Amino acid sequence: MGFSMTLSTIIKMQDIYLSFKGKDFDVKILKGINLEIHAGDSIAVLGASGSGKSSMMAIMTGLESAVKGKVTAMGQEITAMNEDQLAVFRRENIGIILQSFHLIPTMNALDNVIIPLELAGIKNAAEIAAEALKEVGLSHRITHYPAELSGGEQQRVAVARAIAAKPKVLFADEPTGNLDSKTGKAIIELIFSLQKKLNTTLVLITHDPALADKCSRKFFMNDGHLKEEL
Ligand SMILES: Nc1ncnc2c1ncn2[C@@H]1O[C@H](COP(=O)(O)OP(=O)(O)OP(=O)(O)O)[C@@H](O)[C@H]1O
Ligand SMILES: [Mg+2]
């Protein structure tokens, strides 16, 4: 009898094209992207500035619509969803950490983490948010507003917010780009330890080859074309 290992597909992009037409330009950004990600994978996406990495992530998370192609995530076709459906899909399934932290300036650290949990209808949102902030080592700063936090601390709030609801997939776009190397290293260790602990699938955009080496699969974006390094 044969032994077979089943890899379950968690995200699939098929023939994705993205372009922007302005008054004076018509730029082709993504030129036929195909990518299949399995549950538990950690994916690194490398490539030159402007090559289309963030654009691809925006399409995988439904923040941007493709001109052509299909994206399926967790068995749902996200390229067929409207804005409301996408918002629900994101809340229930994924966490996103961006280079700039996107915290709400008028809310303290704890409320920044609570809000998306409450929107997702999760019970004990306050408790779960406090626990996530503890995970990132910020228990002593929960009542601080973003302006009262250092860059590294703000990024840790953003990490706490992204992981609090235990997403199936965690997307991180250069999460350490704005941080000094020591703080950046701590954030990375945090992301990978949480990934292991929660068995989350990770999609990480980075310019750092050492960081990419920590991932299970490595991809290069080159002028709108994506290639896996095998
Ligand atoms: N709304 C837009 N209109 C026109 N061009 C755009 C728009 N958004 C992005 N672009 C262009 O698409 C290209 C890819 O951008 P993207 O942000 O995906 O690059 P990236 O690989 O993430 O780069 P970086 O490493 O600098 O973050 C860039 O050349 C950018 O100028
Ligand atoms: Mg980018």
Side-chain angles (χ1 to χ4, degrees):
M1 241 204 310
F3 173 80
S4 74
M5 200 163 90
T6 328
L7 292 173
S8 69
T9 299
I10 194 153
I11 296 178
K12 190 169 182 176
M13 288 201 291
Q14 290 166 275
D15 209 25
I16 290 293
Y17 284 79
L18 177 70
S19 52
F20 290 105
K21 225 185 174 90
K23 205 164 146 274
D24 305 313
F25 60 82
D26 181 0
V27 279
K28 295 179 171 46
I29 311 293
L30 301 177
K31 303 170 181 172
I33 303 284
N34 289 286
L35 173 62
E36 191 165 349
I37 301 176
H38 301 114
D41 274 351
S42 50
I43 301 279
V45 182
L46 294 139
S49 175
S51 60
K53 305 179 298 294
S54 297
S55 302
M56 181 179 80
M57 184 175 283
I59 286 176
M60 279 197 266
T61 54
L63 291 167
E64 182 83 68
S65 321
V67 169
K68 178 174 177 273
K70 184 170 156 180
V71 181
T72 319
M74 278 61 84
Q76 300 178 64
E77 190 183 338
I78 67 167
T79 32
M81 291 182 187
N82 63 31
E83 286 302 324
D84 291 345
Q85 292 169 322
L86 283 169
V88 172
F89 166 81
R90 276 194 293 271
R91 285 203 296 262
E92 293 179 349
N93 294 285
I94 66 181
I96 307 176
I97 306 165
L98 297 172
Q99 183 170 7
S100 49
F101 322 126
H102 294 282
L103 299 177
I104 301 166
T106 54
M107 288 186 180
N108 69 28
L110 184 63
D111 287 335
N112 263 282
V113 182
I114 288 176
I115 288 298
L117 296 172
E118 280 186 342
L119 287 172
I122 291 171
K123 285 189 196 127
N124 312 324
E127 227 171 279
I128 293 168
E131 182 58 35
L133 283 163
K134 191 177 159 195
E135 295 261 23
V136 302
L138 275 186
S139 291
H140 61 309
R141 289 286 184 268
I142 59 172
T143 60
H144 283 230
Y145 287 81
E148 300 163 349
L149 296 167
S150 74
E153 288 170 341
Q154 289 179 58
Q155 188 59 308
R156 282 190 271 161
V157 175
V159 172
R161 181 183 55 186
I163 53 111
K166 302 196 169 37
K168 296 179 189 77
V169 186
L170 182 61
F171 291 91
D173 190 350
E174 293 175 42
T176 60
N178 282 329
L179 306 174
D180 68 78
S181 66
K182 188 162 164 254
T183 312
K185 206 162 163 256
I187 294 284
I188 286 304
E189 274 163 19
L190 181 67
I191 289 174
F192 278 98
S193 80
L194 292 169
Q195 191 235 340
K196 278 203 191 74
K197 199 165 139 192
L198 302 174
N199 198 27
T200 311
T201 305
L202 175 68
V203 179
L204 173 70
I205 296 177
T206 180
H207 284 292
D208 181 351
L211 190 52
D213 284 339
K214 290 169 84 96
C215 293
S216 65
R217 297 169 71 194
K218 218 168 14 175
F219 290 82
F220 280 89
M221 184 69 85
N222 182 8
D223 192 23
H225 296 279
L226 188 72
K227 224 173 114 185
E228 180 159 17
E229 183 178 278
L230 296 166

